[in-house]
Amino acid sequence: MAGLSLRCGDCGAHLKSVEEAQEHAELTLHTNFSESTEAVLNLVCTVCGKPCRTKIESDLHTKRTGHSDFVDKTMEEAKSLELNASEMVVPEIDKKLLEELESMGFPTARATRALHFSVLNLPLTWVADHENDEDIDEMPLVPAKTNAEVAKRSLTPEEAKIKAQELRERARKKKEEEERRMEREREKERIRIGKELLEAKRIEEENERKRMLALRQAEKDEEKRAREKIRQKLEEDKAERRRKLGLPPEEPGTSKPSAPPMRERKSALPIKPATKTEHMRDCLRSLKQAHKDDDAKVKRAFQTLLTYVGNVAKNPDEEKFRRIRMTNATFQDRVGCMTGGIEFLEVCGFEKVEGDEFLTLPKQKVDMAVINSAGAELTSAINNPFFGVL
């Protein structure tokens, strides 16, 4: 049976004619072609008119578009090719190149097949790739009409060189465009992964926040139950003492008689004023109670105050440790915005100066006893989990 198509040995594509093989070679730089008795299919979609060359291509078209009706026009083209092949002749080739190959020792039939089937005038490469073909030494035959068209389109060595350069340039540009497209795809993938990681982190932080709230509520409930047990224990002890004294049990609805009003007595002794240590403790307790829902922020404020006090205790002569800029963002975030933070420093001896822009501890007012007491109170507040609860 006469050849119905050409097969590309590099990618396996089926091509209808030599013209299609040359176009395929220009686009892909493939040069390994051979005759095939397998006809190229021509399945035409009845909905959109798209032609499909193979069953796989028609299946992909159906999957993408949903079009499943095709008309098989393969035999029509096969009959057309057979009619055109009724008059078979030896293809016209470059006589000069044929003489050169014959002078190298190649048989005329082999040289003719190489010059006819090789793309971009690379006969030696074609011979090397097809030297084991069964029909390598048979003279090729092509339809007379096709032979005339191929003869018209044959290229000189100079034209072939220019054409090859153009094809390489087109292949290079195509490769660059493909690399840019792949880079855009990779960038989209990186952005997608980044968004997924941020969302996962947000969900994890939200779950951690809910867990901490549940843990804090459980601690409050446990503390409430403990107080209720203590109250019940006190009531039982009270009832036991009344029983031992022979007194009747106290009725639940009985209210305790109010104590008679005490006459106010003026003490001859002066009332002892609150010490600085007690004032410091009150400042820290106010800070803890004002921000009881944010233990981490409270602990950070205590740590910052302890750092300020510790620097003064270690370096009382260094002015930089006795001077705090109140407008500093870090100071405001950790101490300045916290209730009782600045008051605590003022109890330690710091004073507002220069329009309340700085807190300064004058060297002559440094009282190491007060500074040491401040450090002790801060350490106790940090380490005692029940500080400021009651």
Side-chain angles (χ1 to χ4, degrees), residues 299-318:
K299 189 173 182 179
R300 186 178 62 178
F302 288 169
Q303 293 283 4
T304 304
L305 290 171
L306 184 61
T307 300
Y308 288 141
V309 172
N311 288 337
V312 174
K314 295 176 183 177
N315 308 278
D317 296 330
E318 291 287 342

Side-chain angles (χ1 to χ4, degrees), residues 81-340:
L81 288 175
E82 289 178 354
L83 290 175
N84 292 335
S86 59
E87 185 180 354
M88 306 298 291
V89 296
V90 177
E92 295 184 10
I93 56 175
D94 192 324
K95 302 299 182 183
K96 184 178 180 181
L97 294 176
L98 177 61
E99 293 176 358
E100 292 180 0
L101 290 177
E102 289 177 340
S103 65
M104 295 179 186
F106 291 101
T108 302
R110 182 176 298 196
T112 302
R113 293 183 72 87
L115 291 173
H116 174 66
F117 289 113
S118 63
V119 181
L120 298 180
N121 292 339
L122 300 174
L124 295 178
T125 302
W126 188 92
V127 170
D129 294 338
H130 296 80
E131 61 181 354
N132 295 324
D133 292 353
E134 295 180 357
D135 56 352
I136 186 65
D137 290 321
E138 296 179 7
M139 188 66 72
L141 297 176
V142 297
K145 183 179 178 180
T146 303
N147 185 47
E149 293 176 354
V150 173
K152 292 179 182 179
R153 296 180 58 182
S154 61
L155 302 176
T156 64
E158 292 77 11
E159 291 175 338
K161 184 177 180 181
I162 296 174
K163 191 69 173 178
Q165 180 64 28
E166 293 177 355
L167 292 175
R168 284 193 292 270
E169 183 65 19
R170 288 170 59 182
R172 183 186 63 81
K173 291 182 179 179
K174 184 178 180 180
K175 182 178 180 181
E176 291 178 354
E177 179 62 27
E178 182 65 17
E179 289 177 352
R180 287 193 293 269
R181 186 186 68 81
M182 293 300 295
E183 181 61 29
R184 289 194 296 269
E185 293 296 329
R186 286 192 291 268
E187 182 64 23
K188 290 180 181 179
E189 184 66 14
R190 285 195 293 269
I191 293 174
R192 183 187 66 80
I193 293 175
K195 289 182 178 179
E196 290 180 355
L197 290 176
L198 289 176
E199 181 64 16
K201 183 178 180 182
R202 186 192 65 79
I203 294 174
E204 183 180 359
E205 291 176 350
E206 180 67 17
N207 293 336
E208 180 65 17
R209 186 184 67 82
K210 291 180 179 179
R211 190 185 69 82
M212 293 302 296
L213 290 176
L215 181 60
R216 196 173 293 120
Q217 183 62 38
E219 292 176 350
K220 290 182 180 179
D221 294 342
E222 182 65 24
E223 183 180 355
K224 184 178 180 180
R225 287 192 294 269
R227 290 181 179 179
E228 181 64 21
K229 288 182 179 180
I230 293 174
R231 188 189 65 78
Q232 291 179 359
K233 181 65 175 175
L234 292 176
E235 291 291 336
E236 293 174 358
D237 292 345
K238 182 178 179 181
E240 181 66 18
R241 287 195 299 272
R242 292 180 64 86
R243 186 185 63 79
K244 289 181 178 180
L245 293 175
L247 299 175
E250 186 177 5
E251 296 181 2
T254 304
S255 60
K256 297 180 180 180
S258 58
M262 298 293 293
R263 179 182 298 178
E264 183 179 355
R265 295 183 180 181
K266 294 184 178 180
S267 174
L269 298 176
I271 298 175
K272 184 178 181 181
T275 63
K276 284 192 175 184
T277 301
E278 293 173 346
H279 195 175
M280 293 177 189
R281 193 178 300 117
D282 290 340
C283 292
L284 297 180
R285 188 179 293 110
S286 299
L287 192 152
K288 178 69 177 288
Q289 293 177 351
H291 306 279
K292 59 184 178 180
D293 293 332
D294 196 343
D295 292 340
K297 193 171 183 180
V298 171
K299 189 173 182 179
R300 186 178 62 178
F302 288 169
Q303 293 283 4
T304 304
L305 290 171
L306 184 61
T307 300
Y308 288 141
V309 172
N311 288 337
V312 174
K314 295 176 183 177
N315 308 278
D317 296 330
E318 291 287 342
E319 184 180 359
K320 64 180 181 180
F321 295 122
R322 295 184 283 104
R323 185 178 179 85
I324 304 172
R325 183 185 293 273
M326 295 181 64
T327 56
N328 181 272
T330 303
F331 174 80
Q332 284 295 326
D333 179 58
R334 297 189 175 188
V335 177
C337 66
M338 307 289 283
T339 303

